Amino acid sequence: MAVPSPTTPPAFLDWSWKEFEPYYAELNARPLTPTTVGPWLSDWSDVSRRVAEMRERRYVAMTTNTADAEAERRYRQFFDEIFPASEAAEQRLKARLLASGLQPEGFAVPLRNLRAEADLFREANLPLLSDEKKLGNEFDKLIGAQTVQWEGAELTIVQLTARLNESDRATREALWRAARSRQLADREALNDLWQRFFKLRRQIAANTGKASYRDYAWQFRLRFDYTPENCLEFHSAIESVVVPAAERLLDRRRQQLGLDRLRPWDLSDGWWGRPVDPPGLAPLRPFTTPAELTARTAAVFRRVHPQLGAYFDEMVVNGLLDLDNRKHKAPGGYCTSFDYSRQPFIFTNAVGVHEDVQTMLHEGGHAFHVFETRNLPYYPQLTVGLEFAEVASMAMEL
């Protein structure tokens, strides 16, 4: 089938497993030889891209409005019906390729990744992995529904926290306490959710024979080049070098603010952000609307390179951005990809602060990674560890 135009919703988004199943069955039955492996991988990639795009489009619909019952139903339906069957089918194809000993040109790293994924696969984990995704949906619903009445208006926690760079310290403290009080109202529900995550993830790891969830996650996240012990060494280096430097910077700002000590409401996001500006400096307001953020970000990307500007323009034209914060929107920011359509999608919770600009540049880097890799012939070539995935985003941000 031809890849659809960006403005045409792919027909397979409403498929059931019965419509996907024949593709996998035919691939599993087809002879696999040095001359057939290329077309076989291409056709496998085609169906894998469809399943992945269905998953991500349903995720986007659910996170952009956590109160949308139909979007939630479709998201859960995917993980109840499509995910377990497709994962089992994918495992059979991975096993066939690995057993064949065939290695197409440029496929050494994808084969390494497939080998690690196949090694972790357990039929018993399929419903557990589905449940893990649905627990994430519960978290998003809880956070997305948190609002506070402030000066006669209903504000989300993000909108409230964005005002923590106000010059008046008493106002900042009141804002901080209002936000934290609302969050604490969900403490019992969040604690219960954490315990359910913990129990579920321990079982997932145990089913694979791993000693801990960290051991499982290490392989699941395709971390081949460093160990947990390396991370602990890095933690120690940060503690001994970076923390004292950060403390000096914070103390310098404390003195500029004329305070005995910094409190959470003296930091831009109420927890670990940069300290607020000294008296006499108005709070930084880099933009006021999502449209202005989009236009200014586009100008930045064009100045960096015309091709990056063209990529971003493509996203704007095709409605591949959801930037503003609102009630019932999942927290955070992300860039995902619609792999069959070969396009990225950026999700943020922008409220007009400096950190929103950083987030847009960061997620833009991820989007450019999607654009630059969309012509790779085989779907497994798109799989990279988080460490490499963050190279484009952090480089763009910096």
Side-chain angles (χ1 to χ4, degrees), residues 50-311:
R50 296 177 193 220
V51 174
E53 181 154 339
M54 174 187 278
R55 180 191 66 232
E56 292 310 297
R57 284 189 180 271
R58 294 190 182 193
Y59 177 73
V60 167
M62 188 267 300
T63 54
T64 52
N65 184 0
T66 60
D68 185 334
E70 176 60 14
E72 181 180 2
R73 184 195 68 79
R74 285 169 59 81
Y75 182 75
R76 287 175 169 267
Q77 180 191 45
F78 176 86
F79 282 100
D80 285 335
E81 300 174 13
I82 306 293
F83 174 80
S86 64
E87 285 295 294
E90 289 277 333
Q91 173 68 10
R92 289 190 287 272
L93 298 184
K94 290 175 188 178
R96 282 201 71 202
L97 178 61
L98 294 171
S100 74
L102 298 170
Q103 180 171 316
E105 185 178 354
F107 216 69
V109 170
L111 277 176
R112 180 200 64 182
N113 296 342
L114 292 174
R115 195 171 291 113
E117 292 168 353
D119 179 66
L120 278 184
F121 179 85
R122 299 292 186 279
E123 195 88 32
N125 273 343
L126 294 178
L128 304 185
L129 293 168
S130 294
D131 288 344
E132 184 183 29
K133 291 295 186 181
K134 289 182 279 189
L135 286 181
N137 172 224
E138 290 186 38
F139 175 81
D140 287 341
K141 287 180 66 177
L142 274 172
I143 303 303
Q146 291 178 344
T147 63
V148 172
Q149 291 294 323
W150 183 265
E151 296 179 345
E154 184 182 28
L155 301 180
T156 67
I157 300 299
V158 175
Q159 291 165 348
L160 205 66
T161 303
R163 299 179 60 175
L164 282 172
N165 55 11
E166 296 284 346
S167 299
D168 182 69
R169 195 180 192 220
T171 300
R172 295 201 306 270
E173 181 177 354
L175 286 161
W176 184 86
R177 292 191 181 279
R180 300 296 89 84
S181 294
R182 176 61 187 88
Q183 290 174 317
L184 284 171
D186 287 331
R187 181 176 183 173
E188 185 175 337
L190 289 169
N191 284 349
D192 174 68
L193 192 57
W194 186 91
Q195 291 178 59
R196 289 157 66 194
F197 264 120
F198 184 71
K199 181 180 179 180
L200 184 66
R201 286 170 170 170
R202 290 189 70 179
Q203 187 60 55
I204 290 170
N207 286 349
T208 65
K210 299 294 184 183
S212 68
Y213 182 73
R214 186 185 71 178
D215 291 345
Y216 167 84
W218 212 265
Q219 184 170 333
F220 178 79
R221 297 184 185 279
L222 305 175
R223 290 176 174 158
F224 303 105
D225 302 310
Y226 63 101
T227 66
E229 290 69 33
N230 294 144
C231 288
L232 294 175
E233 292 173 10
F234 188 46
H235 294 175
S236 296
I238 291 171
E239 182 179 11
S240 61
V241 178
V242 178
V243 171
E247 288 176 339
R248 291 193 296 271
L249 291 172
L250 289 171
D251 191 60
R252 187 184 307 165
R253 185 54 63 89
R254 177 194 63 78
Q255 294 176 46
Q256 292 174 333
L257 292 170
L259 302 175
D260 293 332
R261 61 175 176 154
L262 292 174
R263 301 300 302 275
W265 46 87
D266 299 316
L267 304 175
S268 62
D269 68 0
W271 288 113
W272 54 77
R274 58 185 174 81
V276 299
D277 291 320
L281 286 180
L284 187 63
R285 296 282 185 259
F287 64 94
T288 56
T289 66
E292 188 177 4
L293 174 61
T294 299
R296 293 189 174 192
T297 304
V300 170
F301 290 145
R302 291 188 196 105
R303 290 283 294 273
V304 175
H305 196 283
Q307 182 60 69
L308 302 185
Y311 284 152

Side-chain angles (χ1 to χ4, degrees), residues 294 296-316 320-321 334-337 342-346 357-376 382 384 388-398:
T294 299
R296 293 189 174 192
T297 304
V300 170
F301 290 145
R302 291 188 196 105
R303 290 283 294 273
V304 175
H305 196 283
Q307 182 60 69
L308 302 185
Y311 284 152
F312 193 72
D313 289 343
E314 181 178 332
M315 297 188 72
V316 174
L320 297 167
L321 305 168
Y334 63 78
C335 175
T336 189
S337 58
R342 291 171 169 81
Q343 290 184 311
F345 181 93
I346 291 178
V357 178
Q358 285 184 270
T359 299
M360 275 298 295
L361 298 175
H362 179 102
E363 303 303 343
H366 283 306
F368 301 148
H369 183 159
V370 173
F371 280 119
E372 286 290 311
T373 59
R374 63 182 174 179
N375 291 323
L376 288 173
L382 302 181
V384 296
F388 185 78
E390 296 301 325
V391 170
S393 57
M394 292 305 302
M396 189 59 59
E397 182 178 335
L398 293 171

